[in-house]
Amino acid sequence: MGDDSAPEAAPFPLTEVDKWVLSQTDEEYAWHTWDDLTKIIANNALDVLKRKPSDLKRYIKWTAETKAEHGNMTNYLLAHRLPKVWGSPPFHAVSSVPFGNPADYRVLINDWPYGLEPGITHIVVWTRTPMDSDLDRGDMTPESRRIAAAFVKRYFVDRLGPGGEDRVLWFKNWVALQSVPALEHIHVLVKDVELSVMEEWTREQEWHRHG
């Protein structure tokens, strides 16, 4: 495996699932199916989500190199992936309600998706508006969950038309599982969505360039 992807050299805490994945080959890995993902998210068992072994090794190496170059993942994302007009934390959001104004969020394909079966796309929605979390394990409050669910329905499900609710899943990692805790984000998984729709969802808009 090499020193760069050895667990003791990892640039973030490896979960027991991560360590188990690193002991496997890609051939041994079992992809997350849509039914599997539905059950995981319904049970809020987010700690069992996993990447393909070779992807996890590359992610560990890439994260270490990115942190060495930029200091942390937040700096990298602000420099290369998120709107420049956001500036640096603490952000000055247009709306105090998460996803309340399109200038406050950015929809992007996840550069490092979980190990998902073909046809499933992993999206991340970054928001500069804070989302309330509980004080226990940093999970979403009921109100934050309601707000995020309404956004996902409006932005993703409704765009897919009849049956759209069966092709969209979403979740927000609790704080201990977040790779970039300084930047608020939710994960959205979509099934069998046309490339043109994906491009529509993730297109950079005028307000991302000029505020």
Side-chain angles (χ1 to χ4, degrees):
M1 178 160 53
D3 291 340
D4 281 336
S5 31
E8 61 271 16
F12 52 83
L14 293 176
T15 66
E16 291 305 311
V17 170
D18 288 334
K19 295 173 184 176
W20 174 66
V21 168
L22 289 172
S23 72
Q24 294 183 305
T25 64
D26 282 359
E27 290 70 30
E28 294 171 322
Y29 177 82
W31 300 98
H32 284 301
T33 66
W34 191 254
D35 286 345
D36 180 35
L37 293 166
T38 300
K39 292 173 184 173
I40 288 171
I41 293 171
N43 294 326
N44 207 27
L46 306 177
D47 50 339
V48 305
L49 289 167
K50 57 191 184 297
R51 293 180 173 85
K52 188 173 68 174
S54 60
D55 285 346
L56 179 57
K57 293 171 188 176
R58 290 191 303 114
Y59 181 57
I60 289 171
K61 185 173 186 294
W62 177 83
T63 301
E65 293 170 348
T66 301
K67 286 186 174 181
E69 180 179 353
H70 293 277
N72 56 51
M73 296 304 296
T74 296
N75 290 340
Y76 165 79
L77 287 162
L78 291 172
H80 297 287
R81 300 292 277 144
L82 297 176
K84 297 290 192 297
V85 295
W86 284 13
S88 301
F91 300 119
H92 299 287
V94 176
S95 175
S96 61
V97 179
F99 314 109
N101 188 294
D104 291 330
Y105 59 83
R106 184 74 174 91
V107 181
L108 297 170
I109 302 295
N110 192 347
D111 294 327
W112 297 97
Y114 294 112
L116 312 172
E117 69 177 357
I120 302 174
T121 303
H122 188 170
I123 296 168
V124 181
V125 184
W126 302 91
T127 172
R128 60 177 171 176
T129 306
M131 302 179 70
D132 290 336
S133 299
D134 64 38
L135 298 178
D136 183 13
R137 62 177 179 179
D139 203 354
M140 301 181 80
T141 63
E143 178 64 6
S144 289
R145 192 173 296 277
R146 183 193 66 77
I147 291 171
F151 164 74
V152 170
K153 180 181 185 303
R154 180 177 75 249
Y155 195 91
F156 296 99
V157 174
D158 291 352
R159 174 63 181 82
L160 296 178
E165 65 274 6
D166 298 323
R167 297 163 58 196
V168 179
L169 297 169
W170 74 275
F171 64 92
K172 182 177 186 289
N173 278 327
W174 56 81
V175 172
L177 296 176
Q178 292 175 6
S179 56
V180 194
L183 295 174
E184 293 278 23
H185 59 285
I186 62 172
H187 297 262
V188 180
L189 305 173
V190 297
K191 183 174 67 168
D192 300 332
V193 173
E194 295 177 359
L195 180 58
S196 60
V197 177
M198 295 298 308
E199 290 174 343
E200 176 187 321
W201 281 337
T202 58
R203 186 177 300 132
E204 184 183 44
Q205 303 291 346
E206 182 67 20
W207 49 80
H208 294 135
R209 293 187 288 270
H210 303 293

